[in-house]
Amino acid sequence: MRIKSIIEFPGKLPKPTLTLFGLLMVLAIGGLDTITSYDISISVLYLLPIILIAWYEGGVPASLISIFSAITWATSDLVSGHLYSHITIRIWNTVMVLAMYLFVAYSVTTVKKLFLKEHEHADTDELTGVANIKFFYEQARNEISRSIAHKQPLTLACVDVNNMRYVNDTFGHIAGDYLLHEAAQIMRSTLRSSAIISRLGGAKFAILLPETPNENATVAINNVQEHLLAAVKKKSWPVTFSAGVVTCDGSVCTLDELIAKAEARMNTVRDAGLDAVTENV
């Protein structure tokens, strides 16, 4: 998350503000370009606002700032009194500068997308598309610290997909992988965006619900379970889902304790052959 914050800053500023700043940079460079005259070329400086906008805004804003930079460069070149043997040379130079600026803008935008994609993959479980264990533990510890500091409840739920062996043995591992992926996506679409969902391993998932008391969390997890059961029913798969819910009420608690308690409650339900959600009171 620290890396992502660096990537996004100052992109968190309102887009008009950042774009205006880029335009002002271009105008300032254009003024300097005119003052230094054509004897000293500073056309490379126009790449600074182009790179800035391409990295934090990308797409259309980057293209527009590239075009504006090329026009500013051409205007400065004209005002400074640079003479060419033929007008086509001026046009050709302007086109080449524009092409260079657009290429840089496109390259920076592409690199940014690849960088973010790679960063996202490092935090994501490849099979299910939700958070992996490493990312989950990082986020969970941060949320627990925030919960304790602000005296806000935080709820953790562990969900187990039961009878996965039957699905794998009967329908194949591709079907089993599909089941896990769909289960993860149902959790993601059913819960609010602030929920942190992770695959802990095998057919086991963890769901962290910040600022959520036990009662509300239990309702939410029951809702998730209903959607999961409806999905497997369509496939006629004899699959059930066991869940254990535990809440940190703002007092001192650790992630290991929460996971241990949630898993214990989940295992109690699973071992009893039930399809239910157990909670703390």
Side-chain angles (χ1 to χ4, degrees):
M1 291 302 292
R2 185 178 300 174
I3 295 177
K4 190 172 182 180
S5 298
I6 295 174
I7 294 173
E8 291 178 348
F9 180 83
K12 294 180 180 180
L13 294 173
K15 288 189 176 182
T17 302
L18 189 58
T19 302
L20 178 60
F21 179 70
L23 292 175
L24 292 176
M25 284 183 66
V26 173
L27 291 176
I29 295 170
L32 180 62
D33 198 7
T34 302
I35 294 174
T36 57
S37 77
Y38 61 87
D39 292 328
I40 302 176
S41 176
I42 61 171
S43 59
V44 69
L45 293 182
Y46 291 99
L47 293 177
L48 295 177
I50 292 173
I51 292 173
L52 175 69
I53 299 301
W55 185 263
Y56 292 111
E57 300 296 336
V60 175
S63 298
L64 292 177
I65 202 75
S66 298
I67 295 172
F68 184 66
S69 296
I71 293 174
T72 303
W73 174 86
T75 303
S76 299
D77 188 61
L78 178 64
V79 173
S80 64
H82 193 179
L83 300 177
Y84 295 93
S85 59
H86 198 278
I87 190 174
T88 55
I89 298 178
R90 183 183 301 277
I91 296 174
W92 173 261
N93 287 347
T94 302
V95 171
M96 289 298 99
V97 168
L98 175 60
M100 178 184 67
Y101 291 165
L102 288 174
F103 176 76
V104 170
Y106 172 79
S107 299
V108 171
T109 302
T110 302
V111 170
K112 169 73 175 294
K113 290 179 179 179
L114 292 175
F115 192 85
L116 287 177
K117 187 175 181 180
E118 184 65 24
H119 181 68
E120 181 180 352
H121 283 176
D123 298 332
T124 304
D125 177 67
E126 293 184 2
L127 176 60
T128 61
V130 295
N132 57 26
I133 296 178
K134 177 178 176 295
F135 182 75
F136 175 77
Y137 269 73
E138 290 176 356
Q139 293 303 297
R141 289 193 175 96
N142 291 337
E143 290 297 336
I144 289 175
S145 298
R146 192 165 67 90
S147 171
I148 295 173
H150 297 283
K151 304 297 182 182
Q152 292 288 340
L154 177 144
T155 299
L156 173 71
C158 284
V159 180
D160 198 13
V161 183
N162 306 318
N163 219 13
M164 273 294 300
R165 177 175 295 181
Y166 175 85
V167 174
N168 287 329
D169 293 344
T170 305
F171 303 102
H173 286 277
I174 294 179
D177 291 346
Y178 172 82
L179 171 59
L180 293 177
H181 179 270
E182 288 303 299
Q185 297 311 308
I186 289 173
M187 294 178 197
R188 174 182 285 174
S189 62
T190 305
L191 295 168
R192 62 189 186 187
S193 58
S194 60
I196 302 173
I197 306 167
S198 171
R199 181 187 177 203
L200 295 182
K204 189 186 303 179
F205 294 87
I207 301 173
L208 193 69
L209 300 172
E211 299 182 14
T212 307
N214 186 265
E215 182 179 352
N216 294 352
T218 302
V219 172
I221 299 302
N222 275 314
N223 186 37
V224 168
Q225 189 181 45
E226 290 177 4
H227 282 79
L228 291 171
L229 289 172
V232 296
K233 187 176 181 180
K234 292 180 181 179
K235 295 289 186 179
S236 299
W237 288 344
V239 175
T240 58
F241 301 88
S242 303
V245 178
V246 62
T247 299
C248 176
D249 59 3
S251 58
V252 177
C253 53
T254 67
L255 178 58
D256 292 338
E257 291 174 347
L258 292 177
I259 292 179
K261 290 179 181 179
E263 285 187 332
R265 293 187 170 105
M266 177 193 71
N267 292 336
T268 299
V269 175
R270 184 196 61 201
D271 295 342
L274 300 176
D275 185 22
V277 177
T278 59
E279 57 180 302
N280 62 325
V281 294

